[in-house]
Amino acid sequence: MKKRDYYEVLGVSKSAPEAEIKKAYRRLARKLHPDVNPGDKGAQKKFQEVQEAYDVLKDEEKRRAYDRFGHAGPGASFDPSAAAGGFPGGGQGFGGGSPFESYSFESGDFGDIFGDLFGRARRAQTGPLQGEDAAGTIEVPFRDAVLGGTASLSLRRERECPKCGGTGRVGKNPCPECGGTGSIVDVESVRIRIPEGTEDGARIRVPGKGARGVRGGGAGDLYVTVRVTPHPYFERNGDDIAGVVPITVKEAYTGAEIEVPTIHGVVQAKIPPGTQGRQRFRLRGKGAKNPRTGQTGDHIYTVRVMIPKMQTPAGLDASTLLDSLYDAPVRKDLPKGL
Ligand SMILES: [Zn+2]
């Protein structure tokens, strides 16, 4: 098979500057890397071809020779078999940030992947560069969000293998350091503080846990968006917490002291005589704390009058008696229709 032109392989023009060649190489390497295409022989072959082309074109001297002599010579430098492993410097082309560098995290506490994020170090030719900020989402239980707590994240940060420079090989052999993948994965467990009163959709900044910096630059920050798991009983509306409290007919009629569950525990509360079904009551300061203002909201509970289902003669008498006590027909204010 005829060897393809190196410029053609990288999809650049003969006059392309070094930066453009590097860029084209990174793009192709990312696409064709064996790690991304496991078992794909075609991709592997193309990857090698790209690698070989880049090994030559990134080197000023080799490029000049190639421009002059093409694949044919001079000497064995551009013999395909030699070129595959013939340049000890091959693979150092990833100036700083690796094309394989990616970043993700999953929640450690729950076993499921709640978040998935990618950030890449900014590319440049020289000098230290700060890593990019990264963003992700985490699921937080209602209790931890309202009362404050911690969440555990497992950060997975991929970086270029320092031994093979991201090429996945040393000479003709797969790199022993990274097993030929060209990248190394670091797993780091991070605990983040969930402030008391954290609302659904809130963002928490975790300094220094974004993408890695390049050439000595600091890491970016990680911004975690909080998704609060709904609670089966309590419902949050701003800083107020709502719940429904069932009461008996007698409690509604005579008034009563009842136990009302709040996020801060059970509170004894009084309902007045003649309490109506679906009437709402407010317990001041028993809601959620607003993390910005420091103010605490209220607990608002709605009573639900429970009617006994058991039918007995005594129950019938009691309900008949109750019926005689309304001062007006209960539906007198209803409209007749539209
Ligand atoms: Zn390696």
Side-chain angles (χ1 to χ4, degrees):
M1 195 178 83
K2 195 174 172 289
K3 231 169 134 47
R4 278 172 76 204
D5 176 68
Y6 286 149
Y7 292 99
E8 195 189 306
V9 167
L10 293 182
V12 296
S13 73
K14 285 224 184 323
S15 59
E18 198 192 323
E20 198 189 312
I21 287 171
K22 191 181 265 186
K23 212 169 124 190
Y25 166 64
R26 281 181 176 161
R27 189 174 47 77
L28 288 164
R30 203 153 37 217
K31 199 174 91 188
L32 299 168
H33 194 272
D35 204 18
V36 185
N37 306 279
D40 184 340
K41 287 265 189 303
Q44 197 181 335
K45 220 167 156 172
K46 276 187 189 153
F47 181 69
Q48 276 165 5
E49 194 182 30
V50 164
Q51 191 71 52
E52 185 188 318
Y54 182 62
D55 280 347
V56 170
L57 297 187
K58 76 174 164 122
D59 184 302
E60 209 179 314
E61 210 170 297
K62 289 173 190 164
R63 182 178 177 183
R64 212 165 26 231
Y66 175 73
D67 286 346
R68 202 164 151 206
F69 302 107
H71 291 301
S77 297
F78 303 110
D79 168 21
S81 59
F87 305 116
Q92 286 172 2
F94 301 106
S98 150
F100 312 123
E101 187 167 25
S102 70
Y103 185 92
S104 67
F105 78 76
E106 52 197 67
S107 168
D109 275 353
F110 311 104
D112 291 314
I113 296 170
F114 286 120
D116 181 20
L117 56 94
F118 299 94
R120 266 171 228 289
R122 292 182 196 94
R123 311 264 187 271
Q125 301 308 311
T126 54
L129 269 178
Q130 173 103 7
E132 279 185 2
D133 291 340
T137 306
I138 184 182
E139 184 94 8
V140 171
F142 187 88
R143 179 195 166 83
D144 291 349
V146 166
L147 299 181
T150 58
S152 183
L153 296 179
S154 169
L155 300 182
R156 253 178 69 90
R157 289 205 266 195
E158 233 175 285
R159 65 185 158 93
E160 179 186 289
C161 172
K163 188 165 177 78
C164 63
T167 60
R169 62 200 172 88
V170 174
K172 284 185 177 172
N173 302 315
C175 170
E177 186 81 17
C178 60
T181 60
S183 60
I184 289 182
V185 176
D186 300 317
V187 179
E188 184 186 348
S189 181
V190 175
R191 287 195 87 72
I192 61 171
R193 199 176 71 83
I194 309 293
E196 181 182 353
T198 295
E199 273 187 272
D200 185 62
R203 286 216 312 172
I204 296 173
R205 178 173 163 266
V206 189
K209 297 298 178 189
R212 290 167 191 286
V214 172
R215 291 180 296 274
D221 297 333
L222 169 64
Y223 288 89
V224 180
T225 301
V226 175
R227 288 282 156 233
V228 180
T229 316
H231 192 275
Y233 178 74
F234 295 112
E235 192 181 320
R236 182 165 180 175
N237 301 307
D239 300 330
D240 294 338
I241 300 287
V244 173
V245 180
I247 57 173
T248 68
V249 175
K250 188 185 180 199
E251 284 170 337
Y253 183 65
T254 62
E257 187 165 306
I258 58 172
E259 291 187 338
V260 176
T262 76
I263 58 169
H264 304 285
V266 168
V267 170
Q268 297 289 328
K270 277 189 176 140
I271 51 168
T275 289
Q276 305 296 308
R278 296 177 70 181
Q279 197 169 333
R280 287 169 14 127
F281 298 92
R282 187 178 289 265
L283 295 169
R284 300 233 172 255
K286 296 294 181 187
K289 187 172 169 180
N290 186 313
R292 287 179 303 277
T293 63
Q295 305 257 334
T296 301
D298 303 331
H299 181 88
I300 294 164
Y301 65 95
T302 304
V303 296
R304 184 171 164 206
V305 181
M306 306 299 286
I307 311 296
K309 285 186 175 155
M310 190 190 288
Q311 304 290 319
T312 67
L316 182 63
D317 287 348
S319 60
T320 304
L321 180 58
L322 279 176
D323 236 26
S324 69
L325 300 177
Y326 293 103
D327 50 15
V330 293
R331 288 181 287 279
K332 76 174 168 54
D333 292 333
L334 293 187
K336 301 283 180 224
L338 274 177

